[in-house]
Amino acid sequence: QVQLQESGPGLVKSSETLSLTCTVSGGSINSYYWSWIRQPPGKGLEWIGYIYYSGSTNYNPSLKSRVTISVDTSKNQFSLKLTSVTAADTAVYYCAREGTVTKKFDYWGQGTLVTVSS
Amino acid sequence: QSVLTQPPSVSAAPGQKVTISCSGSSSNIGNNYVSWYQQLPGTAPKLLIYENNKRPSGIPDRFSASKSGTSATLGITGLQTGDEADYYCGTWDSSLSAGPVFGGGTKLTVL
């Protein structure tokens, strides 16, 4: 059974960089798109971006200038960096696996709340 | 403002049937598979339906879905109190920077 687990600071100061890592267990990170998705408190889901195991990436145009997603296949991990954060970036951040053909998000991490403080 | 449009809320009594709509365009629903996700309070979203109408292993057949043109619909029959959750539709959008998009979510209340 594939499992994903997010890790990283739960509190980030405004204007600084948010950094999270997702560790994949129970399966290889090879193949599939590996995504970051966030959910502000009380709001809906917003896709941030994905990375393919080869390193190719695709980002949400609304966040593209501030986002970097990287992968470490040797550790079965992928990571998110979001720069110049503001209070609007406060959200639960999920990592998830997406099928390259079916485009379904079939495995999700439990999510981690990141709060941006002023 | 979400790319896909869902009603904010729906409600029905236990045992009844409810449907949730998801409206998009030719650049997303019209030419891509639709998935549905169930998010119980305080938990991560869970895949409910994929490829428009397929259920993953373990999802009861009380959950069904369909797609027609640029819209999709999720149906839930034999409602249970445990079905109270937020439901999201999702698909791929092929415009500009192609990538996944979601509806705004629909809160289901089982009265």
Side-chain angles (χ1 to χ4, degrees):
Chain A
Q1 179 80 343
V2 174
Q3 292 185 315
L4 289 79
Q5 178 68 57
E6 304 90 350
S7 59
L11 187 64
V12 181
K13 292 184 178 178
S14 183
S15 80
E16 296 189 344
T17 297
L18 179 159
S19 297
L20 296 173
T21 295
C22 181
T23 301
V24 180
S25 59
S28 173
I29 204 167
N30 290 345
S31 193
Y32 298 101
Y33 294 140
W34 299 94
S35 277
W36 287 99
I37 296 163
R38 70 180 183 179
Q39 184 173 36
K43 297 188 177 181
L45 303 170
E46 179 182 33
W47 172 72
I48 299 170
Y50 69 65
I51 190 164
Y52 194 49
Y53 77 98
S54 63
S56 63
T57 56
N58 187 24
Y59 302 134
N60 186 322
S62 67
L63 297 168
K64 190 172 184 176
S65 63
R66 298 194 292 132
V67 172
T68 301
I69 299 177
S70 58
V71 66
D72 186 336
T73 55
S74 67
K75 294 182 179 179
N76 245 28
Q77 293 177 334
F78 62 106
S79 299
L80 168 71
K81 289 191 185 300
L82 181 65
T83 62
S84 305
V85 297
T86 68
D89 295 310
T90 293
V92 175
Y93 285 75
Y94 297 101
C95 55
R97 187 182 87 169
E98 181 187 17
T100 57
V101 175
T102 63
K103 303 295 195 288
K104 61 180 180 180
F105 290 102
D106 54 0
Y107 289 99
W108 296 67
Q110 65 183 23
T112 186
L113 174 63
V114 179
T115 302
V116 177
S117 64
S118 55
Chain B
Q1 192 79 352
S2 301
V3 173
L4 307 178
T5 302
Q6 297 181 235
S9 63
V10 296
S11 62
Q16 297 300 304
K17 174 183 177 178
V18 71
T19 61
I20 298 173
S21 61
C22 176
S23 177
S25 68
S26 58
S27 68
N28 43 67
I29 291 179
N31 285 284
N32 294 284
Y33 287 129
V34 176
S35 300
W36 289 90
Y37 303 89
Q38 177 193 58
Q39 186 176 33
L40 297 169
T43 68
K46 173 185 174 182
L47 180 65
L48 207 58
I49 297 286
Y50 68 99
E51 290 183 13
N52 303 331
N53 56 18
K54 297 179 181 179
R55 284 177 285 108
S57 173
I59 301 300
D61 59 6
R62 299 189 299 106
F63 295 90
S64 64
S66 63
K67 183 184 112 170
S68 178
T70 59
S71 294
T73 302
L74 173 70
I76 311 172
T77 60
L79 276 172
Q80 302 173 1
T81 55
D83 296 332
E84 273 207 353
D86 293 322
Y87 292 84
Y88 293 90
C89 58
T91 186
W92 189 266
D93 193 290
S94 306
S95 64
L96 295 174
S97 179
V101 290
F102 294 100
T106 298
K107 179 168 181 55
L108 168 62
T109 300
V110 181
L111 302 168

